[in-house]
Amino acid sequence: MTTSSHHSPIQPSTTTVSHFIRTIVEGDLGSGLHAAIQTRFPPEPNGYLHIGHAKSICLNFGLAQDYPGSCNLRFDDTNPAKEEAEYAVAIQEDVRWLGFAWNGDVRWASDYFSVLYAFAEELIHQGLAFVDDLNADEIRDYRGTLKEAGRNSPYRDRSVTENLDLFRRMKAGEFADGSKTLRAKIDMTSPNINLCDPVIYRIKRAHHIRTGDAWCIYPMYDYTHCISDALEGVTHSLCTLEFTDHRPLYDWVLDHITIPCHPRQIEFSRLELLYTLTSKRKLLQLVQQGYVADWDDPRMPTIHGMRRRGYTPAGIREFARRIGISKSDNVVDMSVLEGCIREDLEAAAPRVMAVVRPLKVVLTNFEPGVTMARAAGFHPQHPEFGEREVPIARELWIEADDFAEIPPSGWQRLTPGGEVRLRYSYVIRCDEVIRDAVGQVVELRCSIDPATLGQNPVGRKVKGVIHWLSTEHAVPAEIRLYDRLFTVPRPDADKERDFLEFLNPYSLEVVQGWVEAAALTCAPETRYQFERLGYFCADRFDHQPGQKVVFNRAVGLKDTWAKESV
């Protein structure tokens, strides 16, 4: 049997979905502009990656796989107050888990701090950057409004000599945090706020995860990013649409420093996945206020969370392929992601039986040595997965939901006096219902039709088939039933209401159930289909083979959420 958590039938698609970035890349390669492409994935290590980042990972690394080229992993570590080594480690794990490998060593913006500083001095020498004494509020006030042009800083016309002296003293730590900045000298009358003499360096005394206390000035993202791209020979710098207005600054910086490479920035729409949110600030709030266990809580849209829940790398890659790349709004229902995961697991996951809400059944005519067990395959389409014996005993567990004293119309499960087939076993009839002192059903007394092992009953039809387990052979399991974290498609759309109001109170239910013995020794992250219940994954951390069985519900067998209009 194959139970590896890495087994997956969805391979990188041989049929690529064309989009405008592919058209640009193919044109650049075809014209000879580039012999090979160089992309990069540039996360900031200030949180865990989420499903929107997965889209970007699949785009950047996928292009480098599909065309001659490579993709760098580069951390944007220019804001030491918010960055942690924990996040950087997790991001590297996520990229690898999704099935991608970066080019060479991991790169960091901090690798280029000395070069970035030298380019800043070059801009000062050209009269294109100045040291400003305005504070943040004053800079904002001088910037103007949509109707009123900005005003030049009173310090804008400092001489090159004075600016160099002040900038070097900023670097040496002579000035207090926030007391001075280095600004590019572009155009305070520009309607694009990004060109209104943007700050490119600020004083910030904060311990850096890689450089420690070596620097007390740090470059701003817009200044750092374009130069880092150019230093790495990036050909196509791909980012989301909110950076469209930043592109003129990206180009301005590269046009005014001595650097031979000028990458092309291309923007695409970011992903909006319904029934969740991807704001790092709000995800951090969920963690800090205890609404979820941590960043890797299986209800979180983080890659770590999706992995722990039981989502597959191949399913996520297929999701990214299906939703495509465009400049138009990329609003996608959660059911699309769940569908990709379900399809992958349908083909790849071995099948076993489990009982989530157990109800005891006593087989009154069970005869040891006479009542027989049968073997069952782990997957109907994969005989190579092997088979196991499904043992039967006098006492069984069935799903409490599979019994109804007053059945609804169309019911095909167990009722008083009714018959069902036990999956891979006999037809049984419910002869007696046992209740406790308060009238709750606690046990069913049933009889086996001994002629129905692998045979249809004679003279009657039994339509219902239910899953079950022998109490003697079943393994106790903690089963975590995860559902969507929010009850509405856009939990943060209503600015008058707190997104926390829309948390789903039933997003997690923990129950004590039972599983087949095969699950006792399976490795963490092993995925199964629990027949008739859904797809489940042995918890990455809490499942202990041979000792403690913990399974997370990854996704149900079908979409149970009503379709919402987008």
Side-chain angles (χ1 to χ4, degrees):
M1 178 188 68
T2 301
T3 59
S4 168
S5 63
H6 301 291
H7 178 84
S8 180
I10 295 183
Q11 300 300 320
S13 177
T14 55
T15 305
T16 57
V17 177
S18 183
H19 51 71
F20 77 99
I21 296 179
R22 284 186 176 274
T23 301
I24 292 171
V25 168
E26 290 168 1
D28 290 346
L29 292 171
S31 69
L33 178 63
H34 302 297
I37 67 167
Q38 177 68 61
T39 59
R40 84 291 169 267
F41 176 62
E44 182 182 358
N46 65 347
Y48 282 69
L49 300 185
H50 54 62
I51 187 64
H53 295 111
K55 173 184 174 179
S56 181
I57 290 170
C58 291
L59 172 62
N60 281 286
F61 285 94
L63 287 172
Q65 284 183 349
D66 293 345
Y67 299 97
S70 58
C71 182
N72 295 344
L73 173 61
R74 180 181 72 239
F75 287 108
D76 164 37
D77 55 336
T78 56
N79 188 6
K82 294 185 177 181
E83 295 157 3
E84 297 181 18
E86 170 195 345
Y87 299 139
V89 171
I91 288 168
Q92 293 174 66
E93 288 179 0
D94 289 340
V95 173
R96 290 193 191 100
W97 180 75
L98 283 172
F100 299 107
W102 50 86
N103 174 40
D105 294 332
V106 173
R107 292 163 170 83
W108 302 76
S110 55
D111 293 339
Y112 312 128
F113 277 177
S114 295
V115 181
L116 292 162
Y117 178 86
F119 281 130
E121 285 207 355
E122 181 180 338
L123 290 174
I124 293 173
H125 275 292
Q126 297 180 74
L128 296 175
F130 68 98
V131 173
D132 195 3
D133 291 2
L134 296 180
N135 62 35
D137 289 337
E138 290 168 333
I139 290 175
R140 194 175 301 112
D141 180 59
Y142 271 74
R143 191 173 285 151
T145 66
L146 292 175
K147 296 181 179 179
E148 184 180 341
R151 295 168 289 146
N152 289 345
S153 166
Y155 305 98
R156 195 176 196 264
D157 295 325
R158 278 174 163 158
S159 69
V160 168
T161 301
E162 185 180 5
N163 282 318
L164 280 175
D165 175 65
L166 290 170
F167 188 48
R168 289 168 182 172
R169 291 166 63 192
M170 285 170 60
K171 178 177 179 288
E174 292 189 25
F175 305 117
D177 287 14
S179 62
K180 295 183 188 299
T181 58
L182 182 70
R183 297 176 66 180
K185 190 185 293 187
I186 307 179
D187 181 6
M188 286 302 296
T189 65
S190 173
N192 185 341
I193 197 171
N194 297 287
L195 297 180
C196 293
D197 292 3
V199 172
I200 58 175
Y201 266 89
R202 79 282 203 200
I203 305 171
K204 195 176 192 70
R205 287 172 175 81
H207 189 77
H208 190 280
I209 59 174
R210 295 190 72 244
T211 61
D213 300 318
W215 293 84
C216 65
I217 59 170
Y218 290 96
M220 301 298 287
Y221 173 82
D222 280 341
Y223 173 76
T224 304
H225 185 73
C226 57
I227 296 175
S228 300
D229 281 351
L231 291 171
E232 294 176 9
V234 169
T235 56
H236 301 83
S237 181
L238 312 178
C239 54
T240 46
L241 285 175
E242 63 264 34
F243 290 98
T244 301
D245 289 342
H246 296 245
R247 190 186 339 131
L249 177 56
Y250 184 103
D251 291 333
W252 183 92
V253 172
L254 296 181
D255 286 340
H256 291 90
I257 61 175
T258 308
I259 198 163
C261 177
H262 191 131
R264 177 178 179 183
Q265 178 176 306
I266 305 169
E267 306 86 18
F268 62 94
S269 59
R270 67 187 304 161
L271 169 65
E272 181 186 354
L273 185 65
L274 300 182
Y275 289 98
T276 190
L277 45 80
T278 54
S279 160
K280 279 187 182 179
R281 179 179 60 81
K282 292 177 179 177
L283 294 178
L284 179 60
Q285 184 180 346
L286 290 172
V287 173
Q288 290 179 332
Q289 296 183 4
Y291 292 103
V292 295
D294 209 335
W295 286 95
D296 68 350
D297 188 298
R299 293 167 291 180
M300 291 279 272
T302 57
I303 298 175
H304 259 55
M306 293 186 290
R307 175 180 182 175
R308 190 168 183 182
R309 183 162 178 164
Y311 284 15
T312 62
I316 294 172
R317 292 195 304 267
E318 176 62 14
F319 171 71
R321 189 187 73 87
R322 287 186 189 178
I323 64 175
I325 300 293
S326 70
K327 286 186 177 288
S328 57
D329 290 345
N330 196 197
V331 181
V332 182
D333 192 81
M334 179 67 78
S335 62
V336 179
L337 174 58
E338 292 170 339
C340 290
I341 303 303
R342 189 179 294 114
E343 285 180 30
D344 189 26
L345 292 173
E346 163 65 24
R351 299 180 182 185
V352 297
M353 290 192 290
V355 175
V356 171
R357 295 179 174 85
L359 174 61
K360 182 181 286 189
V361 166
V362 175
L363 300 176
T364 55
N365 60 340
F366 177 86
E367 296 183 64
V370 176
T371 304
M372 304 296 292
R374 288 184 67 195
F378 280 104
H379 199 291
Q381 277 77 50
H382 290 283
E384 72 275 13
F385 283 12
E387 60 181 22
R388 81 286 190 198
E389 185 178 80
V390 182
I392 190 168
R394 176 179 174 80
E395 294 185 355
L396 313 178
W397 296 120
I398 70 166
E399 207 70 56
D401 292 346
D402 283 337
F403 173 75
E405 290 189 272
I406 304 174
S409 176
W411 184 261
Q412 293 185 357
R413 289 170 274 174
L414 201 56
T415 62
E419 290 184 309
V420 294
R421 178 177 291 281
L422 300 176
R423 180 82 162 130
Y424 309 119
S425 192
Y426 297 92
V427 170
I428 63 170
R429 183 182 67 245
C430 179
D431 301 314
E432 186 180 357
V433 178
I434 308 299
R435 294 177 174 81
D436 62 14
V438 295
Q440 294 293 318
V441 175
V442 293
E443 182 181 306
L444 304 178
R445 302 272 172 90
C446 299
S447 54
I448 295 169
D449 182 342
T452 57
L453 185 64
Q455 304 289 329
N456 289 323
V458 176
R460 65 194 191 280
K461 288 185 177 181
V462 176
K463 294 183 178 180
V465 180
I466 64 172
H467 59 277
W468 57 283
L469 292 169
S470 156
T471 62
E472 182 181 329
H473 303 91
V475 172
E478 178 179 312
I479 298 176
R480 300 167 181 173
L481 302 172
Y482 289 102
D483 206 342
R484 297 180 185 180
L485 188 55
F486 294 98
T487 58
V488 297
R490 288 183 167 95
D492 56 351
D494 189 340
K495 303 309 176 187
E496 302 300 316
R497 299 180 66 180
D498 190 331
F499 75 99
L500 296 173
E501 294 180 38
F502 304 108
L503 281 169
N504 179 7
Y506 307 107
S507 62
L508 170 60
E509 181 184 3
V510 180
V511 298
Q512 295 300 313
W514 301 87
V515 296
E516 285 191 37
L520 177 62
T521 55
C522 74
E525 296 191 83
T526 298
R527 303 176 183 89
Y528 289 107
Q529 183 195 103
F530 288 175
E531 296 202 39
R532 301 179 66 233
L533 296 177
Y535 296 96
F536 290 75
C537 180
D539 188 82
R540 184 181 177 192
F541 301 113
D542 296 338
H543 178 83
Q544 301 169 20
Q547 300 178 50
K548 182 180 180 182
V549 180
V550 180
F551 275 93
N552 302 326
R553 180 168 63 190
V555 66
L557 292 178
K558 59 183 180 179
D559 182 13
T560 57
W561 284 72
K563 302 299 181 186
E564 298 279 352
S565 59
V566 176

